[in-house]
């Protein structure tokens, strides 16, 4: 089959040559795709602004030897413009697409669950429905869970104790009790464990009622957890963090 269709979310784009761009996408069926959009930087491009980050598009692609070529792109949902209208939402969306790109890179099987999670996150940001820092934290925790890395939050990751889970240790595998503190464990404010559980479940009512100190710390927990497993920095988190201050 020389050409194929898929629904996809634009993660990021790179300039290529004089007039083209490489578009990095998370496709529902095909997973992560890097494809060329020829002539997209010309004012007369038939793609217009449809292949901008965060947009959901219906694509037709032509298989190439090195890279596929986008032959048609129809906009399903233009999340890019509403998300970019508020900087905190934009910063949160950047965290989501950076994590999505790292977690689906080189994974051959279908990424329909990652696609659905990212779609839901971007739609919520575009609608201005949820706190952007909480949205990004929830996205990181849930996408890590899809990738097979669920932190222990119900019991101590080391000894199984159910009380006093006041520290978080990526090395140990999640929250730990005071008897199991090891190197690199972060002392977390009261309510952080409960908040992480609510974020994992996207229980926004409970998230909203969480103590402010726990909310301020949730992004750190989610980021440390992600960075520890993917063994890379999440660079876009800094922009979102500077919005929190
Ligand atoms: Zn313990």
């Amino acid at each position: 089959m020389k050409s194929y269709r898929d629904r996809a979310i634009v993660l990021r784009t790179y300039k290529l040559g004089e007039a083209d761009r490489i578009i990095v996408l998370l496709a529902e069926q095909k997973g992560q795709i890097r494809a060329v959009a020829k002539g997209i930087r010309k004012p007369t491009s038939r793609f217009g602004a449809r292949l901008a980050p965060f947009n959901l598009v219906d694509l037709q692609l032509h298989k190439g030897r090195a890279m596929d070529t986008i032959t048609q792109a129809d906009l399903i949902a233009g999340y890019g413009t509403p998300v970019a209208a508020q900087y905190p939402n934009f910063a949160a969306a950047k965290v989501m697409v950076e994590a999505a790109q790292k977690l689906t890179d080189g994974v051959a099987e279908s990424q329909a669950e990652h696609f659905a999670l990212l779609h839901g996150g971007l739609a919520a940001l575009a609608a201005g429905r949820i706190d952007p820092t909480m949205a990004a934290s929830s996205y990181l925790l849930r996408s890590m869970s899809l990738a097979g890395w669920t932190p222990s939050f119900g019991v101590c990751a080391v000894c199984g104790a159910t009380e006093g889970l006041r520290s978080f240790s990526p090395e140990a595998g999640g929250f730990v009790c005071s008897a199991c503190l090891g190197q690199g464990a972060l002392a977390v404010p009261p309510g952080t464990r409960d908040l992480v559980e609510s974020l994992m479940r996207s229980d926004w009512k409970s998230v909203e009622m969480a103590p402010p100190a726990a909310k301020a710390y949730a992004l750190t927990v989610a980021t440390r957890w992600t960075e520890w497993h993917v063994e890379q920095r999440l660079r876009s988190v800094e922009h979102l963090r500077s919005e929190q201050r």
Side-chain angles (χ1 to χ4, degrees):
M1 196 177 61
K2 271 293 195 187
S3 72
Y4 62 97
R5 293 187 78 92
D6 211 339
R7 296 203 305 161
I9 293 164
V10 179
L11 302 180
R12 61 178 302 176
T13 72
Y14 303 89
K15 286 180 184 172
L16 178 71
E18 288 289 304
D20 307 340
R21 269 186 197 280
I22 293 174
I23 316 289
V24 184
L25 303 130
L26 181 59
E28 191 167 26
Q29 305 302 322
K30 294 274 179 185
Q32 193 177 129
I33 302 174
R34 281 167 177 267
V36 180
K38 288 192 174 139
I40 191 170
R41 282 154 59 213
K42 290 181 183 159
T44 54
S45 167
R46 64 209 153 94
F47 296 119
R50 293 193 287 275
L51 292 170
F54 318 134
N55 282 348
L56 172 61
V57 286
D58 184 27
L59 294 179
Q60 189 150 334
L61 299 105
H62 188 79
K63 272 201 176 307
R65 211 173 290 165
M67 214 182 288
D68 299 351
T69 303
I70 299 172
T71 50
Q72 198 186 322
D74 295 318
L75 190 66
I76 301 172
Y79 297 131
T81 304
V83 160
Q86 301 276 347
Y87 187 76
N89 288 334
F90 175 77
K94 290 288 279 183
V95 171
M96 291 181 186
V97 295
E98 185 185 356
Q101 187 175 357
K102 287 185 159 74
L103 288 172
T104 61
D105 187 21
V107 184
E109 65 257 36
S110 163
Q111 299 292 305
E113 285 178 303
H114 274 288
F115 173 87
L117 185 64
L118 182 60
H119 184 196
L122 292 174
L125 289 176
R129 277 204 302 269
I130 39 178
D131 177 313
T133 305
M134 293 299 98
S137 305
S138 173
Y139 178 82
L140 289 178
L141 291 164
R142 293 188 61 193
S143 61
M144 286 296 289
S145 213
L146 284 181
W149 292 306
T150 306
S152 173
F153 54 82
V155 298
C156 170
V158 178
C159 74
T162 54
E163 298 295 319
L165 305 176
R166 293 193 196 92
S167 299
F168 184 80
S169 167
E171 292 93 324
F175 284 90
V176 292
C177 74
S178 50
C180 296
L181 285 182
Q183 270 190 346
L186 311 163
V188 298
T192 304
R193 194 216 66 85
D194 291 344
L195 174 57
V196 164
E197 183 167 0
S198 304
L199 289 167
M200 298 275 306
R201 297 189 172 144
S202 294
D203 174 359
W204 299 112
K205 273 258 152 53
S206 305
V207 169
E208 214 171 287
M209 292 184 301
K215 281 189 182 174
Y217 214 78
L219 182 63
T220 299
V221 167
T223 302
R224 291 285 188 92
W225 182 247
T226 307
E227 290 180 341
W228 168 259
H229 286 285
V230 301
E231 297 178 345
Q232 287 179 65
R233 292 286 313 280
L234 281 177
R235 280 175 297 165
S236 49
V237 168
E238 268 318 301
H239 301 285
L240 182 57
R241 224 191 278 285
S242 64
E243 276 305 302
Q244 260 187 315
R245 286 183 199 120

